[in-house]
Amino acid sequence: DAGITQSPRHKVTETGTPVTLRCHQTENHRYMYWYRQDPGHGLRLIHYSYGVKDTDKGEVSDGYSVSRSKTEDFLLTLESATSSQTSVYFCATAPTGGLNTEAFFGQGTRLTVV
Amino acid sequence: AQRVTQPEKLLSVFKGAPVELKCNYSYSGSPELFWYVQYSRQRLQLLLRHISRESIKGFTADLNKGETSFHLKKPFAQEEDSAMYYCALSGSSNTGKLIFGQGTTLQVKP
């Protein structure tokens, strides 16, 4: 398996609280991504990073922020969690941003907002 | 609009039967198409991509630009093929961003 670990793996939090999910990689991949997985929607891109301190928005970025202070770590923060953010969150990495590049995924984090 | 559509939420077949998981896409340029698979309790992983034109675990996929489809096929399904399958599209240059379909659960019955 690729050296991509997500923490925590499971979390239950209350509406209105901030939450941070962490993605750590040992592959030295330049690109990192956060997706959310929801029934009927597949995976949708939240934010991505193309280098240290270089990030950009994805399709469903509202209510989320990210930071990447070093190559290995990509943090996803829910600034004020809402029930609509209950989902499974996947981190992915890729060595390049090329059209044919393979993405490598973490195990996922199941987040429940109550 | 850029979109990937997998019309079947669930596909259930018997072992040894042929399998076809459908994928249609909408994209204005020339995208690259992928199939990713998630087996139970495992990570999402690449199964195959169009540019490789290879057969992985007996699966093949042909890109039909006229019909904008990238259906995944296997002539004889095995029980270990049971999994969630996602079709994905990469169209933007130099970002590696993927657009996923809704996913199809393949259930292969003994």
Side-chain angles (χ1 to χ4, degrees):
Chain A
D1 282 344
I4 303 167
T5 54
Q6 294 183 228
S7 59
R9 295 291 315 281
H10 302 270
K11 186 170 182 67
V12 179
T13 192
E14 293 186 349
T15 299
T17 61
V19 176
T20 296
L21 308 183
R22 180 185 185 228
C23 178
H24 179 77
Q25 58 133 337
T26 58
E27 303 298 310
N28 200 34
H29 286 174
R30 178 181 172 189
Y31 291 81
M32 298 186 76
Y33 312 85
W34 278 107
Y35 292 91
R36 59 177 289 174
Q37 182 188 44
D38 302 290
H41 292 279
L43 280 77
R44 292 177 292 174
L45 183 66
I46 304 171
H47 281 280
Y48 70 100
S49 169
Y50 48 97
V52 173
K53 293 186 170 35
D54 293 321
T55 66
D56 204 352
K57 295 179 180 180
E59 178 189 358
V60 291
S61 59
D62 287 348
Y64 301 94
S65 62
V66 290
S67 66
R68 190 164 177 206
S69 59
K70 47 186 178 177
T71 300
E72 306 85 72
D73 292 324
F74 193 32
L75 305 181
L76 176 71
T77 297
L78 287 66
E79 294 142 11
S80 177
T82 67
S83 59
S84 65
Q85 294 175 311
T86 292
S87 186
V88 180
Y89 291 84
F90 285 97
C91 173
T93 72
T96 73
L99 202 61
N100 309 313
T101 194
E102 176 181 355
F104 298 88
F105 286 83
Q107 324 96 301
T109 294
R110 185 173 295 275
L111 177 68
T112 302
V113 183
V114 298
Chain B
Q2 303 170 21
R3 184 176 297 170
V4 176
T5 302
Q6 295 178 247
E8 303 135 330
K9 190 174 181 179
L10 172 66
L11 184 63
S12 185
V13 301
F14 286 101
K15 177 182 173 182
V19 170
E20 183 179 47
L21 288 82
K22 291 183 166 49
C23 173
N24 289 92
Y25 67 91
S26 172
Y27 189 77
S28 58
S30 296
E32 179 59 38
L33 276 296
F34 304 81
W35 279 98
Y36 280 83
V37 61
Q38 188 174 25
Y39 300 104
S40 180
R41 299 187 185 84
Q42 293 188 29
R43 300 163 188 251
L44 194 62
Q45 59 187 284
L46 178 66
L47 178 63
L48 56 79
R49 55 190 139 186
H50 164 250
I51 195 169
S52 302
R53 298 184 183 275
E54 56 193 343
S55 173
I56 303 293
K57 299 184 179 183
F59 285 97
T60 59
D62 291 319
L63 180 62
N64 185 322
K65 292 186 178 181
E67 296 183 358
T68 59
S69 68
F70 189 57
H71 303 327
L72 184 68
K73 300 178 184 179
K74 184 170 183 176
F76 307 104
Q78 303 299 315
E79 289 182 68
E80 55 264 30
D81 296 328
S82 296
M84 173 72 89
Y85 291 80
Y86 288 100
C87 182
L89 174 158
S90 173
S92 59
S93 59
N94 300 321
T95 65
K97 296 187 295 184
L98 293 170
I99 299 169
F100 284 88
Q102 303 91 326
T104 298
T105 299
L106 175 63
Q107 182 184 76
V108 182
K109 296 176 286 189

